[in-house]
Each structure stands twice: as structure tokens, then as C-alpha cells.
Amino acid sequence: MSTTEQSVEFAGEASACRGCQDTGGAELGGEPPENARQRVNRRWNEILQETRVAQTGVQILFGFLLSVAFTPLFRELDTFDRVVYVLTVVLGASATGSLIAPVSIHRFLSGQRMKDEVVEAASRLMIFGMVLLALTIGCTLLLILRLVVPGVLAEVLVGTVMLWFGFCWYVLPMRLRRRAAARRTGELDDA
């Protein structure tokens, strides 16, 4: 049994997973339904995988941002670009904190039989961290494109990219969630 599985002992297999939003998804895929313990373990493993991907990206971006201040071109930036840079570094640091926080939470609470609370907090931190990461990427693009592209084209390109991020990262998942909920509701009405 892994450390993650050992950190939680439920009173019974039918123990409720507080705050779990994943209900009924397994039945739609033709797989047997999972109990509360299986669901919270699956959600935790999914968060770990997502965290690994997001942490790598944010750490590389943050490292790049920190190095920019030590380049000769940085001294030539106007006030607006310096403000964008400072905002970008702060957003990057905040995204890094949010995306690494689930590891710290798990380490501090491991063995306390709080896995469902840890999963819920980690999920919220991941969502918040992804918002911060999207803003960091947008500000980084703005900083770079203002130096490369003339006029307002930089702002238009950044706005377009941010709309794409918003669609891919937030609008599409919400649409898929609503569609799945409507399908489940329709199946329940048919029964």
C-alpha cells in the first residue's frame, strides 16, 4: 500500500467524500462505480499528475523571468514595461506558490486522515494556480511582444492568446461538464 493510500483510513467503504464533484462519471464510461475511498484516491493521483505538468511549466517560466532583469536590454525598458515586468514576476511567484502548495499540504497533513480535505484544497489551489499561470503567460507575452511588434499589434496578439487560453482552460471544460451533467440528468429522467 502506498504512502498516499496509508494516509487515509475511512470508517467504511461507503464513507462519503465531502465536496467531491465527480459523481457518476464511472457509470457513464461503462466501468463499475467507485466507492468514496477509490474516488478520493483517484482524484489525488490525478492532482499529482496535473501538478507535475503545471509545476514544470511555471518553474521554467519563472526562472526565465528572474533572469530578464540581469540582461542589458532590461535597462532600456520604459516605465510601463518595467511595471509589466514586476507584475509578471509577482504573478509568476504566486502561480509557483499555488501550484507547489498541494505538495506542502500533503506533507504536513499526511497521516491525519484528512485526504478528502487535502484533495479539495489541492484542487482549488491548482485552479487558482492555473489562473495565475495564464496571467503570467499573458504578461510575459505582452512584455516580449511590445519589444518585437510595432504599435498595438502586441496587445491584440496577447488579447487573442489570452482568449484562447480562457477558452481551452476554462470555457471548454465548463461546457463539457454541463454537457455531462445534462446527459446524466437525461438518463435519470429516462429511468
Side-chain angles (χ1 to χ4, degrees), residues 7-172:
S7 67
V8 159
E9 294 281 335
F10 285 98
E13 290 297 315
S15 167
C17 176
R18 292 184 300 276
C20 288
Q21 297 173 350
D22 297 340
T23 57
E27 292 90 353
L28 292 177
E31 298 175 13
E34 55 188 8
N35 63 40
R37 181 181 181 143
Q38 291 169 329
R39 183 174 30 259
V40 77
N41 283 332
R42 176 187 50 81
R43 288 185 74 211
W44 177 248
N45 288 328
E46 289 172 354
I47 286 172
L48 288 178
Q49 292 302 321
E50 294 163 0
T51 300
R52 287 182 185 116
V53 172
Q55 282 177 351
T56 302
V58 76
Q59 288 171 338
I60 290 169
L61 180 57
F62 189 55
F64 160 75
L65 289 171
L66 293 177
S67 67
V68 168
F70 300 103
T71 63
L73 186 59
F74 183 79
R75 291 171 187 73
E76 298 175 21
L77 292 178
D78 63 20
T79 303
F80 178 78
D81 290 329
R82 284 178 185 254
V83 168
V84 170
Y85 173 75
V86 169
L87 178 62
T88 305
V89 169
V90 169
L91 286 169
S94 300
T96 301
S98 290
L99 294 172
I100 293 176
V103 175
S104 177
I105 289 171
H106 178 261
R107 184 56 20 229
F108 277 99
L109 298 178
S110 180
Q112 300 298 311
R113 301 174 188 238
M114 298 176 60
K115 193 175 211 176
D116 49 348
E117 290 91 347
V118 168
V119 168
E120 197 59 38
S123 179
R124 292 180 193 279
L125 283 164
M126 286 292 298
I127 291 169
F128 189 64
M130 295 302 290
V131 170
L132 292 170
L133 178 58
L135 293 172
T136 303
I137 292 170
C139 287
T140 302
L141 279 174
L142 182 61
L143 191 63
I144 292 169
L145 291 178
R146 281 180 46 87
L147 297 174
V148 177
V149 180
V152 297
L153 183 57
E155 287 84 0
V156 170
L157 290 172
V158 170
T160 303
V161 169
M162 294 309 295
L163 286 173
W164 178 247
F165 269 66
F167 176 77
C168 291
W169 287 11
Y170 304 104
V171 174
L172 184 59

